[in-house]
Amino acid sequence: MYLEQVFTQILKMSMTAGWCILAVLVLHLIFYKVPKKYLYALWLVAAFRLLCPVSISTPFGMFQGEQAAVQQITVEQPGSEQADVQQTENSKDVRPVENTQKISNEALEQQTMYSQSMVHAAGGEKRVLWLASRIWVVGMIVLLGYYAVSLWNIRRKLKKAVLAQEQTCHPGWRQIPVYECDSLPSPFAMGMLHPKIYLPYGMQTENREMVLLHEQYHIRRHDQIVKAMACLLLAVYWFHPLVWAAWAVMCRDMEMSCDEKVLELIGKARKKEYSMALLQ
């Protein structure tokens, strides 16, 4: 029963976050010329909605409210019939006792049938919720397992990495150890507490400076932690298509904002050179 409650809360949070993600995507379309660091920061709002439990009205809650209203009307029906009887008594047109009892019995039978149908419907909803919560857990396990296998493969490749003879150094930025590995297709930064930069072996010297600035800015901004948290949110909300869209756009904003920072550091005159480095 606890698992169903957790899944219900996740569904409620996903509905609120879905509207928030749509709003951020619309802002991306409107302000596409704005520096990407500001658009990247907007995803903090969506992440907050995915993390923070909020109370909202759901279709289930509305449906329950309608049921309560119908039950109230059904209960009040005998009272209205008694009022009719009193009115007819005042007008000296009293209904027979048998007809009144017959109407009351019919109303009671209808209320009983309605209550039974609601019990069956509630039982069906519970079975659906039980099944959906188990599917949700299985989906999370599969996605987390995929993450674990991918991380294991990367770490297996990094066993061959060799510490380079230099460390990144930019005024005001801390030094980050740089490793080279011949089995890497592209450079990346990795590590939570002690991050490191990994480069493909034999990278050209003219590209090395710009790539190191790019990866070091990722570390300076703690993007590796942001991406790890985003992966966990994606695993929890794997059933939500807008969360997948948010993941894709957020990763693009992350990389493009780093590119903007590198161009700011090296100067716009080297924009073509940096573009060629990215292509390579």
Side-chain angles (χ1 to χ4, degrees), residues 52-110:
C52 179
V54 291
S55 299
I56 60 172
S57 60
T58 63
F60 300 101
M62 294 171 60
F63 182 66
Q64 292 174 357
E66 292 176 358
Q67 292 178 0
V70 173
Q71 290 177 355
Q72 183 178 1
I73 293 173
T74 307
V75 171
E76 290 178 353
Q77 281 181 354
S80 62
E81 293 169 356
Q82 292 176 1
D84 293 339
V85 172
Q86 292 177 358
Q87 183 176 1
T88 54
E89 287 177 352
N90 295 332
S91 60
K92 297 181 180 181
D93 187 15
V94 183
R95 296 178 181 176
V97 178
E98 294 81 0
N99 293 340
T100 304
Q101 293 178 349
K102 182 178 180 180
I103 294 174
S104 299
N105 292 334
E106 290 178 354
L108 183 60
E109 290 178 359
Q110 291 177 359

Side-chain angles (χ1 to χ4, degrees), residues 173-207:
W173 294 7
R174 64 169 176 162
Q175 293 184 342
I176 305 296
V178 180
Y179 288 79
E180 292 183 344
C181 184
D182 56 358
S183 60
L184 296 179
S186 61
F188 61 90
M190 185 175 179
M192 294 289 185
L193 300 178
H194 304 286
K196 303 176 181 64
I197 296 176
Y198 295 91
L199 302 176
Y201 185 78
M203 177 173 287
Q204 298 179 5
T205 306
E206 57 271 19
N207 297 337

Side-chain angles (χ1 to χ4, degrees), residues 146-199:
Y146 172 78
Y147 292 157
V149 172
S150 300
L151 184 61
W152 180 80
N153 288 331
I154 293 175
R155 291 191 177 278
R156 182 172 54 85
K157 293 180 180 179
L158 295 181
K159 288 182 178 180
K160 302 178 182 178
V162 178
L163 180 64
Q165 296 300 318
E166 62 173 333
Q167 294 195 350
T168 57
C169 183
H170 184 79
W173 294 7
R174 64 169 176 162
Q175 293 184 342
I176 305 296
V178 180
Y179 288 79
E180 292 183 344
C181 184
D182 56 358
S183 60
L184 296 179
S186 61
F188 61 90
M190 185 175 179
M192 294 289 185
L193 300 178
H194 304 286
K196 303 176 181 64
I197 296 176
Y198 295 91
L199 302 176

Side-chain angles (χ1 to χ4, degrees), residues 10-20 56-59 240:
I10 290 293
L11 288 178
K12 294 179 180 180
M13 294 165 62
S14 68
M15 292 179 65
T16 305
W19 289 108
C20 184
I56 60 172
S57 60
T58 63
H240 204 310

